[in-house]
Amino acid sequence: NALAVSTLPKHRIHPLFSFASSQEHRTKNPAAIARLTSLTSQLSPYPPRGISAVTAKSPDDVVVTACLRTPFTKGGKGGFKDTPAADLLHHAFVSLLKRSAIDPTAVEDIAVGSVLPPGGGATEFRAAALAAGFPVSTAVKSLNRQCSSGLQACVDIANAIKTGMIDVGIGAGVESMSLQYGPGAVTEFSDLLENHMEAANCKVPMGVLSEKMAKDRGVSRKVQDEFAARSYQRAAKAQKEGKFDAEIAPMEGVRWVDPKTEEEKRITVTVDDGVREGMTAEGLGKIKPAFAKDGSIHAGNASQVSDGAAAVLLMRRSTAEKLGQKILGKFVGASVVGVEPLLMGIGPWKAIPVVLEKAGIRKEDVDLWEINEAFASQCVWCVRELGLDEAKVNPNGGAIAFGHPLGCTGARQVSTLMNELERTGKRVGVTSMCVGTGMGMAAIWVKE
């Protein structure tokens, strides 16, 4: 920027820069120079980098003041099997408003990530916000970037705050896989797409391509089952110790129909019902492969089909202080990348180095990693290829153990990360996931 300014004709140089270039003012007005440095750093497309910059505080930071999720329940048979996605989202909204005590009129925009609803869920999600108590002045949109939709929703709101479009917003995610998962969720391809090899690869079922990746990258069944067992064991221990309690908003009066008697009941859902105790690699090793006779992927080492919603309240730091909101942490930045559709599982391996480079930090600076366990094969490969400390990755288990409601996971990870950073007294965390059709996404967060 300094070079660009120095090459401008004198009559085009802004007085601020002309003032700063004066030797007299450089020596006599240090306060003005400090202000100029601050202004030019804000104008620069390249923000300050490095761990000190990442952990520093600024009035313009995008901060998190509340984040939570519903329990996650098993698709087709769990506590939310008869609950529409919009109702789950409504509960997340109501719970977020209650927990944060924010005036709903202060929320200017809401972004909701979701993968399966017809029409993207745009109409019912707007209705859910209104029913939750947001005024008509609060805008709502739905979006779909497959498994990263919840994170993309948070990033969209964060970027809107950074650019000054809004001051306060909510990034959310929701999915009812019980009611909307199935062949109908994928549009039929035209001949044009079918006849293009890479384009046609976008519709290969994820289980099939994950089998291919496991074979190509040499990830054995034994390694996958060991990784999956560890996820179950960590989640069971965390649930027993109440580590998920702070992030979960229990839901009362949930409609549930008994599949045997067809009797309708009203139940209270308080915990993730997919978590199972006593899971071992040996036990998982007895399960038949799901996608190939000689395959390695099965129901026990892949993410659970599940239902749930999550929401994250974001705002400018100066706004949070003005409103008296407790700051939990801040959003630093994100990355999104593309990879070969048949290798979609390697997405985190490509996205994580990009976001670290953008922030100017190293993997050693990161205290905690929340990497979505779409399949044990892809997650363990990414972790080991990146050289991450496995003790810092999903310390309370992941999607294999408690579920992956597609559009919700990216928003859920924020709550899980923030709460674990708080418990352990750590600061820097990264969330990441692979994305269907061949993408990856990652984001950096810092605990207050």
Side-chain angles (χ1 to χ4, degrees):
N1 287 336
L3 178 61
V5 169
S6 68
T7 58
L8 289 173
K10 286 187 177 180
H11 68 277
R12 291 187 60 196
I13 297 178
H14 190 283
L16 182 63
F17 293 106
S18 178
F19 172 83
S21 63
S22 163
Q23 178 63 36
E24 178 183 0
H25 285 97
R26 276 202 299 271
T27 55
K28 295 184 178 181
N29 294 276
I33 296 304
R35 176 60 178 156
L36 173 61
T37 301
S38 174
L39 287 171
T40 53
S41 69
Q42 292 176 40
L43 292 170
S44 170
Y46 307 104
R49 301 168 75 249
I51 191 62
S52 59
V54 164
T55 56
K57 297 179 182 179
S58 163
D60 292 325
D61 287 339
V62 176
V63 300
V64 176
T65 63
C67 50
L68 51 75
R69 65 177 177 94
T70 68
F72 284 2
T73 67
K74 292 181 284 189
K77 51 187 175 182
F80 293 144
K81 71 180 183 67
D82 302 307
T83 304
D87 289 13
L88 295 173
L89 184 65
H90 171 270
H91 179 67
F93 286 160
V94 170
S95 301
L96 194 72
L97 288 175
K98 183 178 180 180
R99 182 172 296 188
S100 66
I102 194 169
D103 182 345
T105 62
V107 180
E108 297 160 277
D109 196 13
I110 299 172
V112 183
S114 199
V115 177
L116 302 175
T123 302
E124 60 264 40
F125 296 165
R126 163 72 164 165
L130 294 172
F134 291 100
V136 294
S137 58
T138 301
V140 179
K141 74 171 180 179
S142 64
L143 61 93
N144 180 359
R145 196 194 286 276
Q146 308 254 33
C147 300
S148 67
S149 298
L151 175 56
Q152 187 66 63
C154 294
V155 171
D156 279 7
I157 291 298
N159 287 339
I161 294 170
K162 282 188 173 184
T163 61
M165 183 177 177
I166 63 172
D167 287 321
V168 181
I170 292 172
V174 66
E175 211 73 69
S176 171
M177 298 185 76
S178 290
L179 301 180
Q180 295 173 318
Y181 186 56
V186 181
T187 305
E188 288 297 317
F189 275 22
S190 66
D191 290 342
L192 186 153
L193 301 183
E194 289 282 11
N195 292 328
H196 185 284
M197 185 178 69
E198 204 69 282
N201 286 339
C202 288
K203 65 181 293 186
V204 175
M206 290 191 188
V208 174
L209 62 85
S210 293
E211 277 285 10
K212 184 179 185 304
M213 177 194 162
K215 290 178 181 178
D216 289 350
R217 300 300 166 108
V219 185
S220 70
R221 164 93 184 236
K222 182 176 183 292
V223 167
Q224 293 176 57
D225 288 347
E226 288 173 347
F227 181 87
R230 186 163 62 249
S231 181
Y232 284 114
Q233 292 159 7
R234 287 178 173 181
K237 183 174 184 290
Q239 189 177 73
K240 185 178 292 186
E241 294 175 355
K243 288 185 177 180
F244 297 130
D245 294 353
E247 67 188 76
I248 290 179
M251 190 168 174
E252 299 177 351
V254 177
R255 177 178 174 271
W256 189 82
V257 179
D258 189 312
K260 294 181 179 179
T261 65
E262 296 187 357
E263 178 187 0
E264 182 176 312
K265 302 177 181 180
R266 293 289 168 173
I267 64 173
T268 297
V269 182
T270 60
V271 298
D272 303 323
D273 64 18
V275 177
R276 286 172 279 181
E277 290 194 59
M279 300 297 285
T280 64
E282 293 73 24
L284 293 171
K286 299 174 183 177
I287 302 175
K288 291 182 179 180
F291 302 101
K293 287 184 178 180
D294 62 342
S296 60
I297 294 173
H298 54 81
N301 63 21
S303 57
Q304 296 183 33
V305 172
S306 51
D307 309 319
V312 181
L313 180 60
L314 297 143
M315 62 189 72
R316 198 179 310 279
R317 182 182 292 276
S318 57
T319 302
E321 292 171 347
K322 180 181 177 182
L323 296 177
Q325 286 281 302
K326 179 182 178 181
I327 297 173
L328 303 180
K330 74 170 183 176
F331 167 80
V332 176
S335 65
V336 63
V337 301
V339 299
E340 293 178 37
L342 290 181
L343 293 175
M344 70 94 195
I346 71 172
W349 166 77
K350 188 172 181 182
I352 287 172
V354 173
V355 77
L356 295 181
E357 171 61 26
K358 287 179 181 293
I361 65 175
R362 306 165 302 146
K363 64 185 180 184
E364 291 79 12
D365 295 320
V366 179
D367 298 307
L368 184 64
W369 307 85
E370 278 291 329
I371 302 177
N372 189 41
E373 300 168 354
F375 297 89
S377 58
Q378 58 80 213
C379 194
V380 72
W381 184 88
C382 289
V383 169
R384 294 183 178 181
E385 200 69 16
L386 288 167
L388 306 183
D389 180 348
E390 294 186 25
K392 295 181 178 181
V393 179
N394 304 346
N396 296 319
I400 289 173
F402 50 73
H404 173 33
L406 304 176
C408 172
T409 290
R412 185 277 300 170
Q413 287 179 320
V414 179
S415 293
T416 305
L417 182 78
M418 286 294 174
N419 281 287
E420 186 63 15
L421 289 172
E422 172 70 22
R423 271 190 298 272
T424 57
K426 304 296 184 181
R427 293 291 311 275
V428 182
V430 169
T431 60
S432 184
M433 67 285 293
C434 61
V435 183
T437 70
M439 290 177 279
M441 195 165 183
I444 300 172
W445 309 82
V446 174
K447 185 73 181 71
E448 188 72 0

